[in-house]
């Protein structure tokens, strides 16, 4: 069964870079049948899409975050990663990684990691 | 920009039918998905491609869309259905994903 697991620091200082990885088990990030994505949720608020990537490296980002976000994929480690630079308190959120069910950006997110809380604070 | 509008909250008595709406321009042409998120948990897909129910989702969950409004319906509501519900589409015009603001379903 497919499992996704987020990992990375739970505390990041303002102006620094938030870095998270999503390790895929029970499946392959190189599977050409799926896209992969990052979504975040500030405490007590709704879901916000950050961006997504295909194993080839093709990616899309939320226009509101695009200038600060980089998503990459490492097929050798079977994981994909998120970097968000110049963070502020507004970036404090639970960060989820997820899988698109098909090789379509419009396809649903059918498998999610448990999420990891990242707090931005000095 | 593309916006999906959901009511912040919906309340329903056990055994009744809950209806949660998601409004957008020309939603009939979109591939809309619905997620359920219980407290402290990751979202779970409950409806995909406007009206389809993924494997394992009870048939009490259904959805429809008409004009600019999509509706998630939950019949014979149970206490365990209490959760936040989000609609989601892919905006083809600007190539990004959009979520509705979410609706908190309270079972009275």
């Amino acid at each position: 069964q497919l499992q996704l697991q987020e990992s990375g620091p739970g505390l990041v200082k303002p102006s620094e870079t938030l870095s998270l990885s999503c390790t895929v088990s029970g499946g392959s990030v190189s599977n050409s049948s799926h896209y992969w994505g990052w979504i975040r949720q500030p405490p007590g608020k709704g879901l916000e899409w950050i961006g997504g990537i295909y194993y080839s490296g093709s990616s899309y980002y939320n226009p509101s975050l695009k200038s600060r976000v980089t998503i990459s994929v490492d097929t050798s480690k079977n994981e994909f990663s998120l970097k968000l630079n110049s963070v502020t308190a507004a970036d404090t959120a639970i960060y989820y990684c997820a899988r698109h069910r098909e090789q379509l950006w419009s396809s649903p997110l059918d498998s999610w990691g448990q999420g990891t809380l990242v707090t931005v604070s000095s | 920009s593309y916006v999906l509008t959901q009511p912040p909250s919906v309340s329903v008595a056990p055994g009744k039918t809950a209806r949660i709406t998601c409004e957008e321009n020309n939603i009939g042409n979109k591939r809309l998905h619905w997620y359920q998120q219980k407290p402290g948990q990751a979202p779970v897909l409950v409806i995909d491609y406007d009206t389809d129910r993924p494997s394992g989702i009870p048939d009490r969950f259904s959805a429809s869309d008409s004009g600019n409004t999509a509706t998630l319906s939950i019949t014979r509501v149970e206490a365990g259905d209490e959760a936040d519900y989000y609609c989601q589409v892919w905006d083809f015009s600007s190539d990004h994903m959009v979520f509705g603001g979410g609706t908190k379903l309270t079972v009275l």
Side-chain angles (χ1 to χ4, degrees):
Chain A
Q1 181 169 341
L2 183 77
Q3 290 189 329
L4 291 81
Q5 179 68 56
E6 305 90 350
S7 61
L11 181 64
V12 180
K13 290 182 167 55
S15 79
E16 295 190 345
T17 297
L18 179 159
S19 296
L20 295 174
S21 294
C22 180
T23 300
V24 178
S25 58
S28 173
V29 73
S30 301
N31 188 323
S32 60
S33 298
H34 304 288
Y35 289 151
W36 308 89
W38 287 98
I39 301 92
R40 71 179 183 178
Q41 185 172 36
K45 297 189 178 180
L47 301 170
E48 179 182 34
W49 179 73
I50 300 170
I53 195 164
Y54 190 47
Y55 81 99
S56 64
S58 160
S59 59
Y60 284 117
Y61 299 126
N62 187 321
S64 69
L65 299 170
K66 188 174 183 177
S67 63
R68 299 194 292 130
V69 173
T70 302
I71 296 175
S72 59
V73 62
D74 188 335
T75 56
S76 66
K77 294 181 179 180
N78 208 29
E79 67 180 31
F80 58 105
S81 300
L82 168 70
K83 289 188 186 301
L84 179 66
N85 58 37
S86 304
V87 298
T88 69
D91 295 309
T92 294
I94 297 171
Y95 285 76
Y96 295 99
C97 58
R99 183 188 78 169
H100 284 264
R101 194 174 65 194
E102 292 106 35
Q103 188 196 335
L104 289 169
W105 288 112
S106 61
S107 67
L109 299 166
D110 72 333
S111 188
W112 294 64
Q114 66 184 21
T116 187
L117 175 63
V118 179
T119 301
V120 178
S121 175
S122 55
Chain B
S1 63
Y2 205 117
V3 177
L4 296 175
T5 302
Q6 299 181 236
S9 63
V10 167
S11 299
V12 64
K16 300 298 186 181
T17 297
R19 294 181 178 85
I20 298 171
T21 58
C22 177
E23 295 185 21
E24 190 277 329
N25 293 340
N26 203 24
I27 207 166
N29 289 333
K30 299 298 181 182
R31 300 173 183 179
L32 186 128
H33 314 303
W34 289 93
Y35 301 88
Q36 175 194 66
Q37 185 181 33
K38 295 183 179 180
Q41 298 183 20
V44 172
L45 178 69
V46 292
I47 293 288
D48 59 59
Y49 294 111
D50 303 323
T51 59
D52 294 342
R53 197 171 49 250
S55 172
I57 301 302
D59 61 6
R60 299 185 299 105
F61 289 80
S62 65
S64 62
D65 71 84
S66 177
N68 68 341
T69 302
T71 302
L72 172 69
S73 297
I74 310 170
T75 59
R76 304 186 301 281
V77 166
E78 305 170 354
D81 298 329
E82 195 163 90
D84 295 324
Y85 292 84
Y86 295 90
C87 55
Q88 175 256 309
V89 297
W90 180 262
D91 181 356
F92 288 95
S93 66
S94 56
D95 287 324
H96 73 278
M97 184 180 293
V98 179
F99 285 96
T103 299
K104 180 176 180 59
L105 176 66
T106 299
V107 181
L108 300 171

